[in-house]
Amino acid sequence: IEDIGYGIITFTNDVKQIGYQAFYGSQMRIKSIILPNSVQSIESNAFSGHLQSINIPDSVTAIKESAFIGTALQNVTIPESVESIGVGAFRDCSKLSSVTILSDKITSLADQVFLNCPMLSSINIPNSVTSIGSMAFKLCIALTNITIPDGVTSIGEGAFSSCNALTSINIPTGITSIVNDMFNGCSSLSNIEIPNSVEAIGDYAFCHCPFVEITIPEGVTCIADSAFLLCTHIPSITLPQTITQIGNYAFTNCPLLTSITIPKNVTKIGSFAFNYCYPTTIVVENGNTHYDSRDNCNAIIETASNNLFQGCVNTTIPNTITSIGDYAFDNVFIFRSDNPASIVIPNSVKSIGYDAFSGCTSLESAILPQGLLTIEANAFRGCTALSSLDIPSTVERIESSSFSNV
């Protein structure tokens, strides 16, 4: 090893490996490394700290786990000889802006390989790559676009999460699942094409993406928990006929969603799947054996229990339901002081759930039926326009804060 000054280190030509933690935490304030063509591998945690530039010679075949973690590298070229790049190899490189991969021998981008590289704006993924690991590009907040090769068949959880400048990305046709958190927090991604090969969309997969349109293709059977949570710009969405499961909070806080249609094959709708959406129409397709919108009521009812659990401003509550579910009309009737709302609850209803009408600030009139037994906590909390309400003599239990801030 030779220090030629100015923080530059060179090596003799017989060095074959840069070993584990060889320069990790070095106090030498090394800024530049010149490696000889004899080096074949760069081992785990080999470098850290002030390193700004390095030549990776054509002799190198392996860059191991966390090899350059936390360094000050600005530009990196991966030569043709490299066959593998380890987990977190360039993680937390806060100055890294450009990566050029020349090798066609690399088949996988490992977990966390470029995690939290906030200045990374340019990278090519070679056509040889078939998998991209979990959190591979998470928190790469300067990355605006990236092209994923057609041969990629696996993309790990959170691979592009919190890439909040990302505006353009393709999903190859070999992908069968949009896994958990894949694009969570991509707050500039307004459009994406989901290929027909996809069968499932995972938890938080597109959370907080500002889609102005989205097509979920036929073949998708499951939309998992919070998959489209906080997609505040979606005006409409068409669910495929193949869908069978909609997870908890799947579309919560999609306030521009004007209509909801539940296909006939849906067998499970999770809790609060459409909370804080403000549709004017809700339809469950004929033939669904688990849910219905009987009598064109503009609501979703669980058929077996006769529980109405999702309503809208145009809901008419049928006289065959026995309960109004938790959060069924939560914040549905709001900001309509010029057109106050009213609701008639039929005699068949025995219970009104938690927060069922909470926050309905324009609900001026609610008629509660004889036969009602239970009013759960916060049921009418914050209904500030509700000036009077008759509690039927049949009511046996009124839980806490049922009428607070009324």
Side-chain angles (χ1 to χ4, degrees):
I1 300 175
E2 181 182 1
D3 184 350
I4 63 176
Y6 308 103
I8 301 173
I9 298 291
T10 62
F11 295 79
T12 58
N13 285 328
D14 56 354
V15 175
K16 294 184 177 180
Q17 182 185 92
I18 307 299
Y20 172 69
Q21 291 191 341
F23 295 91
Y24 189 85
S26 173
Q27 300 302 309
M28 298 171 65
R29 302 186 71 84
I30 298 169
K31 294 182 179 180
S32 180
I33 295 281
I34 300 173
L35 297 178
N37 287 330
S38 57
V39 174
Q40 297 174 6
S41 68
I42 301 172
E43 296 296 307
S44 300
N45 299 94
F47 300 97
S48 70
H50 303 280
L51 184 64
Q52 296 178 8
S53 68
I54 190 170
N55 73 304
I56 302 175
D58 283 335
S59 55
V60 172
T61 60
I63 299 171
K64 298 294 183 67
E65 179 178 350
S66 304
F68 296 97
I69 188 170
T71 59
L73 290 172
Q74 298 175 18
N75 302 285
V76 170
T77 298
I78 309 295
E80 294 179 4
S81 57
V82 172
E83 299 173 1
S84 64
I85 304 173
V87 173
F90 296 93
R91 176 177 174 170
D92 300 328
C93 291
S94 61
K95 305 293 184 183
L96 186 62
S97 63
S98 175
V99 175
T100 302
I101 303 176
L102 300 177
S103 174
D104 61 1
K105 300 179 179 68
I106 296 170
T107 59
S108 175
L109 294 182
D111 296 349
Q112 305 179 23
V113 63
F114 297 104
L115 170 64
N116 194 31
C117 293
M119 295 185 69
L120 183 63
S121 60
S122 175
I123 185 169
N124 69 295
I125 301 176
N127 290 332
S128 55
V129 170
T130 60
S131 68
I132 297 172
S134 298
M135 297 188 284
F137 294 93
K138 182 177 181 178
L139 287 165
C140 291
I141 60 176
L143 196 63
T144 59
N145 62 82
I146 192 164
T147 300
I148 301 176
D150 291 340
V152 171
T153 57
S154 173
I155 301 175
E157 294 188 5
F160 299 95
S161 63
S162 300
C163 292
N164 55 24
L166 190 66
T167 60
S168 175
I169 191 168
N170 65 297
I171 302 174
T173 55
I175 297 296
T176 59
S177 178
I178 309 295
V179 297
N180 298 350
D181 293 297
M182 188 183 288
F183 298 101
N184 185 358
C186 292
S187 55
S188 298
L189 191 62
S190 60
N191 191 21
I192 196 166
E193 184 175 346
I194 302 173
N196 292 332
S197 55
V198 170
E199 299 171 358
I201 299 174
D203 297 348
Y204 295 93
F206 294 108
C207 175
H208 216 289
C209 291
F211 296 134
V212 293
E213 60 178 343
I214 186 78
T215 299
I216 301 175
E218 294 294 331
V220 172
T221 61
C222 175
I223 298 173
D225 296 351
S226 304
F228 292 91
L229 174 69
L230 285 164
C231 290
T232 56
H233 293 73
I234 295 180
S236 64
I237 194 158
T238 301
L239 299 177
Q241 290 298 313
T242 50
I243 197 80
T244 61
Q245 296 184 54
I246 301 170
N248 302 329
Y249 304 98
F251 295 94
T252 292
N253 241 318
C254 295
L256 299 185
L257 205 58
T258 57
S259 64
I260 297 169
T261 299
I262 305 298
K264 64 181 180 180
N265 294 314
V266 172
T267 60
K268 181 180 179 182
I269 300 175
S271 300
F272 321 125
F274 298 97
N275 266 42
Y276 303 110
C277 299
Y278 305 106
T280 55
T281 59
I282 299 176
V283 174
V284 178
E285 290 183 351
N286 293 332
N288 191 305
T289 58
H290 291 78
Y291 303 99
D292 66 81
S293 52
R294 64 192 68 169
D295 305 328
N296 297 316
C297 64
N298 273 307
I300 305 175
I301 298 166
E302 186 179 48
T303 303
S305 65
N306 289 311
N307 175 51
L308 188 158
F309 65 90
Q310 180 66 57
C312 72
V313 292
N314 291 321
T315 294
T316 301
I317 301 174
N319 60 12
T320 52
I321 71 159
T322 58
S323 59
I324 296 174
D326 300 344
Y327 298 89
F329 293 89
D330 183 24
N331 279 277
V332 165
F333 301 105
I334 59 174
F335 309 128
R336 292 176 56 183
S337 59
D338 59 328
N339 185 21
S342 63
I343 195 95
V344 176
I345 301 174
N347 291 334
S348 57
V349 173
K350 305 302 179 185
S351 65
I352 299 174
Y354 295 96
D355 288 279
F357 294 93
S358 178
C360 291
T361 53
S362 68
L363 183 62
E364 189 177 73
S365 171
I367 299 175
L368 305 184
Q370 287 294 327
L372 183 65
L373 301 176
T374 304
I375 301 173
E376 297 289 356
N378 303 322
F380 292 90
R381 179 176 58 88
C383 294
T384 53
L386 198 60
S387 57
S388 65
L389 190 70
D390 292 330
I391 307 296
S393 59
T394 54
V395 171
E396 298 173 351
R397 181 162 58 89
I398 300 176
E399 291 291 347
S400 61
S401 303
S402 293
F403 300 99
S404 65
N405 298 319
V406 170

